[in-house]
Amino acid sequence: MNILDKIDSVTNISQRRLMAGGVQPAPKSVKIELTARCNLRCKYCSLRTRKKQPTINDDMSLDFFKAITTDMKKSGVDEIGLFYIGESFMAPTLLVEACKWCKQELDFEWVFLTANATMAHHEAVRKLMDAGLDSLKWSVNFFSPEQLAEIAGVGPKWFGIAMRNIKHAYETRNKYGYKTILSASSILDKGISGVSTDFLDTEILPFVDKHYFLPMYQMGMAKSKTEDIGNATHGNTGRIDSETGKANRPPLPCWAVFTEGHVRVDGGLSACCFGSDARFDMGKLDGTNFMSQWNSEKFVKLREAHIKSITEGPGALAKTACRVCVAYE
């Protein structure tokens, strides 16, 4: 399978969805934050906007995860992402059990995960692959120990750990014949992130099936944090096309409010793929109300505004939650 086709199938807003207006059928995909914890503090990540940094006691319970995913399956969701803002490998037992539940009990078509590789310990990766994980993507936005320390605010030792984990996952997948697709993405930016071609050629490309670039996003970030970023892409444009070097879709209307759900560890249903707090919340899940929250009054009005942005531009979002986003201030 071409992983880029899989990604683009989610970020593409079909004409059918646009014609449906504010009230939408179930999203194709939902990302769920199993834990809000992360061992990194990357300059470009919306996690830095959280006033209270979570502990292990704030992780999502497996029972709640089972309830909301059962509701999503009944509602017509096809794909589950076992991550959102936090680093899921911070809760490896919960992560593995969540994968087993989605693949072996609920039989979701596609279960995927993005991780920073520093916490992807060998045993947890193998258990995930054994449970049926369809896709594991590494977020690789550093090409040296020094750059990792600068970007993520952690010790340089984590660079070597991440590189070893990426290689070991590839070896494990191939040795045992697992079907998990391995990929990696990097932010295409000359400022605080970006990676060198030589680094990719030697340390990443030999150990993944596909690598691709993403633009620098700034949705969901506090305005004060954007001073670190420099050149940033406003709105959600998807990924960078490898042939043209440009974003493969316009930022508006935002696909995140039409085709993919985003659930924080506390059950908050966010309209933004970087909704680390309640600023973009459209509802709250309880395990039985997914579609009512997916089509809450707030969500319906927001989608109608995004559809208007096709002809009216960003001004159509003036009285919506998206005006909180620094991209439209």
Side-chain angles (χ1 to χ4, degrees):
M1 177 180 293
N2 186 327
I3 192 66
L4 299 186
D5 290 341
K6 193 70 176 175
I7 295 168
D8 294 346
S9 71
V10 174
T11 61
N12 174 59
I13 307 174
S14 67
Q15 190 62 30
R16 179 177 68 89
R17 286 192 178 273
L18 292 177
M19 293 294 291
V23 178
Q24 288 284 312
K28 181 178 181 62
S29 171
V30 178
K31 291 177 181 176
I32 302 173
E33 185 179 50
L34 297 176
T35 176
R37 295 179 288 143
C38 186
N39 61 316
L40 306 184
R41 290 295 180 271
C42 298
K43 291 183 177 181
Y44 47 79
C45 181
S46 61
L47 181 142
R48 297 173 73 217
T49 67
R50 284 177 164 157
K51 296 179 181 179
K52 176 182 178 296
Q53 292 304 315
T55 68
I56 191 172
N57 296 322
D58 299 312
D59 291 354
M60 183 178 286
S61 74
L62 183 59
D63 286 343
F64 183 63
F65 177 84
K66 288 181 176 181
I68 62 175
T69 49
T70 298
D71 190 20
M72 291 170 189
K73 181 69 175 182
K74 293 177 180 177
S75 300
V77 174
D78 295 324
E79 306 176 5
I80 295 292
L82 301 176
F83 71 103
Y84 182 24
I85 305 297
E87 169 54 56
S88 296
F89 277 107
M90 295 288 287
T93 300
L94 174 60
L95 175 60
V96 171
E97 290 303 313
C99 186
K100 288 181 179 178
W101 173 255
C102 287
K103 290 302 296 184
Q104 299 175 12
E105 299 297 329
L106 295 184
D107 194 28
F108 272 100
E109 172 187 313
W110 189 258
V111 177
F112 60 105
L113 172 64
T114 292
N116 64 39
T118 61
M119 299 296 293
H121 302 303
H122 306 164
E123 188 63 25
V125 170
R126 182 176 176 182
K127 287 180 178 179
L128 282 170
M129 292 181 176
D130 194 57
L133 184 70
D134 294 290
S135 169
L136 174 55
K137 187 192 81 170
W138 308 115
S139 182
V140 180
N141 296 309
F142 41 81
F143 58 82
S144 69
E146 295 74 21
Q147 191 194 38
L148 173 63
E150 178 187 358
I151 291 173
V154 296
K157 70 174 185 178
W158 290 104
F159 177 82
I161 294 173
M163 295 302 102
R164 287 195 295 273
N165 287 341
I166 290 172
K167 294 176 183 178
H168 191 274
Y170 181 80
E171 293 167 354
T172 298
R173 193 273 306 268
N174 292 351
K175 179 179 179 180
Y176 295 101
Y178 293 124
K179 302 300 183 183
T180 308
I181 293 175
L182 296 172
S183 61
S185 68
S186 304
I187 293 174
L188 186 63
D189 183 76
K190 296 179 180 178
I192 67 167
S193 187
V195 294
S196 71
T197 301
D198 290 343
F199 165 76
L200 289 175
D201 287 343
T202 59
E203 302 298 325
I204 303 300
L205 296 183
F207 308 105
V208 296
D209 303 310
K210 189 70 177 180
H211 173 274
Y212 59 96
F213 285 100
L214 297 171
M216 177 68 79
Y217 297 123
Q218 59 184 147
M219 300 85 74
M221 298 185 70
K223 193 171 185 178
S224 61
K225 304 297 184 184
T226 63
E227 296 174 358
D228 296 330
I229 293 179
N231 295 328
T233 298
H234 295 171
N236 199 322
T237 53
R239 62 179 179 83
I240 299 295
D241 186 274
S242 59
E243 295 183 2
T244 65
K246 298 180 180 180
N248 71 332
R249 69 174 312 280
L252 293 176
C254 180
W255 59 267
V257 302
F258 291 92
T259 64
E260 186 170 77
H262 299 89
V263 183
R264 285 198 318 280
V265 71
D266 62 359
L269 180 62
S270 180
C272 185
C273 52
F274 292 93
S276 61
D277 53 40
R279 286 177 295 158
F280 302 99
D281 277 10
M282 299 291 107
K284 193 75 172 284
L285 302 188
D286 63 13
T288 62
N289 65 347
F290 179 72
M291 285 307 294
S292 68
Q293 301 305 288
W294 177 246
N295 283 316
S296 66
E297 182 179 357
K298 290 175 65 175
F299 229 151
V300 169
K301 289 183 178 179
L302 179 62
R303 293 189 189 109
E304 290 173 345
H306 272 267
I307 292 173
K308 286 183 180 179
S309 75
I310 296 174
T311 55
E312 299 178 14
L317 304 176
K319 296 182 179 181
T320 71
C322 287
R323 286 300 293 182
V324 181
C325 175
V326 294
Y328 301 105
E329 289 184 347

